[in-house]
Tab-separated table of all heavy atoms in Angstrom:
chain	number	residue	atom	x	y	z
A	73	MET	N	72.183	135.480	139.846
A	73	MET	CA	73.308	136.210	140.799
A	73	MET	C	73.412	137.598	140.297
A	73	MET	O	73.589	137.824	139.082
A	73	MET	CB	74.670	135.409	140.851
A	73	MET	CG	75.752	136.318	141.466
A	73	MET	SD	75.429	136.902	143.109
A	73	MET	CE	77.036	137.622	143.444
A	74	CYS	N	73.304	138.641	141.160
A	74	CYS	CA	73.517	139.963	140.712
A	74	CYS	C	74.166	140.592	141.989
A	74	CYS	O	73.534	140.909	143.001
A	74	CYS	CB	72.387	140.636	140.264
A	74	CYS	SG	72.751	142.347	139.746
A	75	GLY	N	75.562	140.856	142.061
A	75	GLY	CA	76.155	141.272	143.262
A	75	GLY	C	75.714	142.573	143.524
A	75	GLY	O	75.472	142.932	144.824
A	76	ASN	N	75.524	143.455	142.729
A	76	ASN	CA	75.151	144.897	142.959
A	76	ASN	C	73.722	144.957	143.396
A	76	ASN	O	73.329	145.784	144.289
A	76	ASN	CB	75.282	145.744	141.801
A	76	ASN	CG	76.721	146.188	141.608
A	76	ASN	OD1	77.578	146.417	142.572
A	76	ASN	ND2	77.301	146.244	140.449
A	77	ALA	N	72.837	144.171	142.927
A	77	ALA	CA	71.410	143.985	143.422
A	77	ALA	C	71.435	143.600	144.831
A	77	ALA	O	70.620	144.096	145.764
A	77	ALA	CB	70.608	142.997	142.605
A	78	LEU	N	72.329	142.605	145.162
A	78	LEU	CA	72.496	142.182	146.614
A	78	LEU	C	72.975	143.358	147.475
A	78	LEU	O	72.466	143.469	148.600
A	78	LEU	CB	73.348	140.946	146.694
A	78	LEU	CG	72.820	139.632	146.114
A	78	LEU	CD1	73.879	138.573	145.937
A	78	LEU	CD2	71.572	139.103	147.087
A	79	ARG	N	73.971	144.062	147.040
A	79	ARG	CA	74.503	145.071	147.791
A	79	ARG	C	73.465	146.249	148.103
A	79	ARG	O	73.461	146.725	149.096
A	79	ARG	CB	75.783	145.723	147.110
A	79	ARG	CG	76.841	144.711	146.939
A	79	ARG	CD	78.205	145.255	146.606
A	79	ARG	NE	78.189	146.187	145.539
A	79	ARG	CZ	78.236	147.552	145.809
A	79	ARG	NH1	78.414	148.037	147.042
A	79	ARG	NH2	78.226	148.388	144.763
A	80	CYS	N	72.659	146.520	147.026
A	80	CYS	CA	71.590	147.500	147.057
A	80	CYS	C	70.590	147.034	148.186
A	80	CYS	O	70.115	147.882	148.981
A	80	CYS	CB	70.974	147.845	145.861
A	80	CYS	SG	72.060	148.851	144.760
A	81	SER	N	70.204	145.818	148.170
A	81	SER	CA	69.221	145.203	149.041
A	81	SER	C	69.776	145.304	150.448
A	81	SER	O	69.043	145.679	151.332
A	81	SER	CB	68.855	143.766	148.615
A	81	SER	OG	68.243	143.744	147.393
A	82	ALA	N	71.011	145.077	150.708
A	82	ALA	CA	71.699	145.069	151.937
A	82	ALA	C	71.675	146.474	152.438
A	82	ALA	O	71.359	146.818	153.756
A	82	ALA	CB	73.115	144.485	152.024
A	83	TRP	N	72.002	147.443	151.646
A	83	TRP	CA	71.924	148.806	152.092
A	83	TRP	C	70.573	149.186	152.583
A	83	TRP	O	70.423	149.974	153.591
A	83	TRP	CB	72.433	149.730	150.859
A	83	TRP	CG	72.432	151.169	151.246
A	83	TRP	CD1	73.572	151.878	151.593
A	83	TRP	CD2	71.337	152.152	151.048
A	83	TRP	NE1	73.241	153.200	151.810
A	83	TRP	CE2	71.808	153.386	151.667
A	83	TRP	CE3	70.026	151.942	150.911
A	83	TRP	CZ2	71.107	154.540	151.684
A	83	TRP	CZ3	69.157	153.259	150.927
A	83	TRP	CH2	69.742	154.328	151.423
A	84	ALA	N	69.555	148.875	151.806
A	84	ALA	CA	68.148	149.338	152.125
A	84	ALA	C	67.789	148.509	153.445
A	84	ALA	O	67.034	149.198	154.233
A	84	ALA	CB	67.140	148.812	150.929
A	85	ALA	N	68.193	147.308	153.512
A	85	ALA	CA	67.796	146.561	154.814
A	85	ALA	C	68.440	147.237	156.009
A	85	ALA	O	67.914	147.375	157.108
A	85	ALA	CB	68.226	145.108	154.789
A	86	HIS	N	69.778	147.784	155.801
A	86	HIS	CA	70.421	148.612	156.834
A	86	HIS	C	69.607	149.774	157.274
A	86	HIS	O	69.470	150.263	158.325
A	86	HIS	CB	71.846	148.846	156.434
A	86	HIS	CG	72.545	149.811	157.238
A	86	HIS	ND1	72.984	149.402	158.646
A	86	HIS	CD2	73.036	151.006	157.126
A	86	HIS	CE1	73.555	150.398	159.163
A	86	HIS	NE2	73.680	151.478	158.323
A	87	ARG	N	69.248	150.491	156.169
A	87	ARG	CA	68.483	151.822	156.307
A	87	ARG	C	67.092	151.476	157.000
A	87	ARG	O	66.722	152.264	157.939
A	87	ARG	CB	68.285	152.496	155.052
A	87	ARG	CG	67.366	153.788	154.861
A	87	ARG	CD	67.915	154.783	155.755
A	87	ARG	NE	69.247	155.311	155.226
A	87	ARG	CZ	69.178	156.352	154.243
A	87	ARG	NH1	67.988	156.750	153.878
A	87	ARG	NH2	70.348	156.881	153.794
A	88	ASP	N	66.393	150.446	156.561
A	88	ASP	CA	65.060	150.294	157.104
A	88	ASP	C	65.007	149.601	158.524
A	88	ASP	O	64.152	149.922	159.333
A	88	ASP	CB	64.270	149.439	156.076
A	88	ASP	CG	64.067	150.164	154.861
A	88	ASP	OD1	64.142	151.380	154.757
A	88	ASP	OD2	63.679	149.438	153.743
A	89	HIS	N	66.040	148.674	158.678
A	89	HIS	CA	65.861	147.814	159.827
A	89	HIS	C	67.088	147.914	160.756
A	89	HIS	O	67.116	147.346	161.723
A	89	HIS	CB	65.668	146.322	159.388
A	89	HIS	CG	64.539	146.087	158.684
A	89	HIS	ND1	63.242	146.240	159.056
A	89	HIS	CD2	64.363	145.754	157.255
A	89	HIS	CE1	62.344	145.926	158.131
A	89	HIS	NE2	63.129	145.760	156.998
A	90	GLY	N	68.192	148.535	160.371
A	90	GLY	CA	69.240	148.752	161.247
A	90	GLY	C	70.231	147.627	161.147
A	90	GLY	O	71.328	147.624	161.895
A	91	PHE	N	70.052	146.654	160.203
A	91	PHE	CA	71.032	145.488	160.046
A	91	PHE	C	72.364	145.974	159.605
A	91	PHE	O	72.401	146.703	158.595
A	91	PHE	CB	70.428	144.383	159.214
A	91	PHE	CG	69.030	143.948	159.495
A	91	PHE	CD1	68.193	143.532	158.508
A	91	PHE	CD2	68.641	143.775	160.949
A	91	PHE	CE1	66.888	143.275	158.923
A	91	PHE	CE2	67.403	143.307	161.141
A	91	PHE	CZ	66.464	143.066	160.160
A	92	GLN	N	73.354	145.399	160.248
A	92	GLN	CA	74.814	145.520	159.804
A	92	GLN	C	75.378	144.273	159.073
A	92	GLN	O	76.036	144.380	158.125
A	92	GLN	CB	75.700	146.029	160.730
A	92	GLN	CG	75.426	147.599	161.079
A	92	GLN	CD	76.515	148.157	162.012
A	92	GLN	OE1	76.774	147.690	163.099
A	92	GLN	NE2	77.201	149.146	161.479
A	93	GLN	N	74.885	143.245	159.632
A	93	GLN	CA	75.343	141.860	159.060
A	93	GLN	C	73.972	141.146	158.723
A	93	GLN	O	73.077	141.187	159.407
A	93	GLN	CB	76.201	141.113	160.000
A	93	GLN	CG	77.493	141.741	160.163
A	93	GLN	CD	78.368	140.889	161.079
A	93	GLN	OE1	78.396	139.696	160.885
A	93	GLN	NE2	79.244	141.554	161.936
A	94	MET	N	73.933	140.442	157.584
A	94	MET	CA	72.691	139.750	157.181
A	94	MET	C	72.993	138.692	156.154
A	94	MET	O	74.193	138.597	155.601
A	94	MET	CB	71.624	140.723	156.715
A	94	MET	CG	72.145	141.352	155.426
A	94	MET	SD	71.142	142.852	155.246
A	94	MET	CE	72.290	144.085	156.130
A	95	SER	N	71.955	137.699	156.113
A	95	SER	CA	72.081	136.739	155.059
A	95	SER	C	71.096	137.067	154.018
A	95	SER	O	69.960	137.354	154.279
A	95	SER	CB	71.762	135.249	155.637
A	95	SER	OG	72.803	134.883	156.537
A	96	LEU	N	71.549	136.992	152.704
A	96	LEU	CA	70.648	137.310	151.550
A	96	LEU	C	70.436	136.097	150.616
A	96	LEU	O	71.553	135.429	150.366
A	96	LEU	CB	71.215	138.418	150.742
A	96	LEU	CG	71.495	139.769	151.473
A	96	LEU	CD1	72.237	140.763	150.493
A	96	LEU	CD2	70.315	140.367	152.138
A	97	HIS	N	69.284	135.690	150.356
A	97	HIS	CA	68.987	134.430	149.639
A	97	HIS	C	68.607	134.873	148.230
A	97	HIS	O	67.644	135.669	148.017
A	97	HIS	CB	67.973	133.551	150.207
A	97	HIS	CG	68.361	132.975	151.550
A	97	HIS	ND1	67.701	131.861	152.066
A	97	HIS	CD2	69.033	133.371	152.613
A	97	HIS	CE1	68.224	131.622	153.370
A	97	HIS	NE2	69.084	132.554	153.648
A	98	MET	N	69.390	134.415	147.216
A	98	MET	CA	68.907	134.747	145.826
A	98	MET	C	69.164	133.466	145.019
A	98	MET	O	70.183	132.793	144.996
A	98	MET	CB	69.989	135.838	145.294
A	98	MET	CG	69.551	136.209	143.764
A	98	MET	SD	70.653	137.507	143.058
A	98	MET	CE	69.794	138.965	143.686
A	99	ALA	N	67.954	133.107	144.397
A	99	ALA	CA	68.064	132.011	143.506
A	99	ALA	C	68.565	130.671	144.208
A	99	ALA	O	69.286	129.903	143.636
A	99	ALA	CB	68.792	132.167	142.227
A	100	GLY	N	68.193	130.576	145.413
A	100	GLY	CA	68.477	129.317	146.210
A	100	GLY	C	69.964	129.343	146.785
A	100	GLY	O	70.385	128.272	147.364
A	101	VAL	N	70.665	130.419	146.652
A	101	VAL	CA	72.031	130.514	147.090
A	101	VAL	C	72.144	131.579	148.263
A	101	VAL	O	71.529	132.637	148.103
A	101	VAL	CB	73.005	130.903	146.107
A	101	VAL	CG1	74.527	131.124	146.554
A	101	VAL	CG2	73.062	129.927	144.914
A	102	VAL	N	72.789	131.230	149.350
A	102	VAL	CA	72.924	132.107	150.505
A	102	VAL	C	74.138	132.977	150.382
A	102	VAL	O	75.150	132.485	150.173
A	102	VAL	CB	73.004	131.263	151.822
A	102	VAL	CG1	73.023	132.282	153.020
A	102	VAL	CG2	71.644	130.481	152.022
A	103	HIS	N	73.955	134.291	150.440
A	103	HIS	CA	75.163	135.259	150.430
A	103	HIS	C	75.241	135.895	151.758
A	103	HIS	O	74.254	136.386	152.374
A	103	HIS	CB	74.911	136.232	149.239
A	103	HIS	CG	74.745	135.656	147.912
A	103	HIS	ND1	75.802	135.441	147.057
A	103	HIS	CD2	73.648	135.100	147.312
A	103	HIS	CE1	75.351	134.766	146.013
A	103	HIS	NE2	73.988	134.657	146.031
A	104	GLU	N	76.417	136.238	152.213
A	104	GLU	CA	76.654	137.032	153.395
A	104	GLU	C	76.607	138.466	152.968
A	104	GLU	O	77.161	138.734	151.759
A	104	GLU	CB	78.026	136.653	154.075
A	104	GLU	CG	78.144	135.179	154.613
A	104	GLU	CD	79.571	134.948	155.076
A	104	GLU	OE1	80.164	135.651	155.785
A	104	GLU	OE2	80.094	133.896	154.572
A	105	ALA	N	76.280	139.339	153.850
A	105	ALA	CA	76.433	140.850	153.532
A	105	ALA	C	76.778	141.514	154.784
A	105	ALA	O	76.463	141.119	155.947
A	105	ALA	CB	75.005	141.307	153.101
A	106	VAL	N	77.673	142.557	154.523
A	106	VAL	CA	78.080	143.475	155.678
A	106	VAL	C	77.982	144.952	155.178
A	106	VAL	O	78.461	145.243	154.030
A	106	VAL	CB	79.496	143.086	156.087
A	106	VAL	CG1	79.964	144.062	157.165
A	106	VAL	CG2	79.662	141.647	156.691
A	107	VAL	N	77.350	145.721	155.929
A	107	VAL	CA	77.258	147.099	155.740
A	107	VAL	C	78.187	147.909	156.584
A	107	VAL	O	77.991	147.777	157.798
A	107	VAL	CB	75.692	147.681	155.810
A	107	VAL	CG1	75.648	149.077	155.445
A	107	VAL	CG2	74.799	146.806	154.923
A	108	SER	N	79.007	148.735	155.999
A	108	SER	CA	79.938	149.533	156.709
A	108	SER	C	79.705	150.934	156.479
A	108	SER	O	78.654	151.339	155.763
A	108	SER	CB	81.365	149.316	156.521
A	108	SER	OG	81.712	149.618	155.178
A	109	ASP	N	80.438	151.970	156.942
A	109	ASP	CA	80.166	153.434	156.829
A	109	ASP	C	80.139	153.818	155.292
A	109	ASP	O	79.226	154.595	154.879
A	109	ASP	CB	81.096	154.235	157.640
A	109	ASP	CG	80.937	154.154	159.114
A	109	ASP	OD1	79.847	153.822	159.500
A	109	ASP	OD2	81.787	154.333	159.769
A	110	ASP	N	81.044	153.243	154.617
A	110	ASP	CA	81.171	153.859	153.251
A	110	ASP	C	81.037	152.651	152.068
A	110	ASP	O	81.247	152.943	150.955
A	110	ASP	CB	82.531	154.417	152.946
A	110	ASP	CG	83.732	153.669	153.381
A	110	ASP	OD1	83.545	152.447	153.825
A	110	ASP	OD2	84.926	154.168	153.204
A	111	SER	N	80.822	151.471	152.554
A	111	SER	CA	80.819	150.370	151.565
A	111	SER	C	79.745	149.300	152.040
A	111	SER	O	79.535	149.202	153.278
A	111	SER	CB	82.151	149.717	151.374
A	111	SER	OG	83.174	150.528	150.792
A	112	VAL	N	79.247	148.570	151.051
A	112	VAL	CA	78.498	147.416	151.313
A	112	VAL	C	79.122	146.254	150.534
A	112	VAL	O	79.430	146.268	149.443
A	112	VAL	CB	76.978	147.650	150.643
A	112	VAL	CG1	76.117	146.394	151.012
A	112	VAL	CG2	76.445	148.903	151.290
A	113	TRP	N	79.209	145.144	151.402
A	113	TRP	CA	80.022	143.973	151.036
A	113	TRP	C	79.093	142.826	150.898
A	113	TRP	O	78.242	142.651	151.772
A	113	TRP	CB	81.146	143.551	151.838
A	113	TRP	CG	82.261	144.589	151.952
A	113	TRP	CD1	82.266	145.857	152.606
A	113	TRP	CD2	83.352	144.653	151.173
A	113	TRP	NE1	83.311	146.459	152.438
A	113	TRP	CE2	84.174	145.734	151.488
A	113	TRP	CE3	83.981	143.772	150.383
A	113	TRP	CZ2	85.425	146.059	151.059
A	113	TRP	CZ3	85.202	143.943	149.870
A	113	TRP	CH2	86.011	145.175	150.095
A	114	VAL	N	79.098	141.913	149.756
A	114	VAL	CA	78.407	140.746	149.707
A	114	VAL	C	79.365	139.631	149.243
A	114	VAL	O	80.416	140.045	148.571
A	114	VAL	CB	77.174	140.712	148.815
A	114	VAL	CG1	76.022	141.906	149.409
A	114	VAL	CG2	77.562	141.111	147.457
A	115	THR	N	79.038	138.454	149.455
A	115	THR	CA	79.765	137.288	148.955
A	115	THR	C	79.231	136.725	147.633
A	115	THR	O	78.088	136.887	147.373
A	115	THR	CB	79.857	136.101	150.013
A	115	THR	OG1	78.511	135.751	150.176
A	115	THR	CG2	80.575	136.511	151.188
A	116	ALA	N	80.232	136.171	146.770
A	116	ALA	CA	79.799	135.605	145.578
A	116	ALA	C	80.554	134.290	145.534
A	116	ALA	O	81.800	134.132	145.956
A	116	ALA	CB	80.328	136.403	144.409
Side-chain angles (χ1 to χ4, degrees):
M73 164 57 178
C74 183
N76 284 321
L78 289 169
R79 295 193 318 103
C80 289
S81 297
W83 183 94
H86 171 68
R87 173 66 67 90
D88 294 342
H89 304 288
F91 305 144
Q92 287 193 297
Q93 299 184 34
M94 63 204 86
S95 295
L96 306 178
H97 296 206
M98 177 178 279
V101 178
V102 179
H103 302 268
E104 300 172 52
V106 176
V107 181
S108 64
D109 290 339
D110 56 356
S111 293
V112 180
W113 295 83
V114 298
T115 55

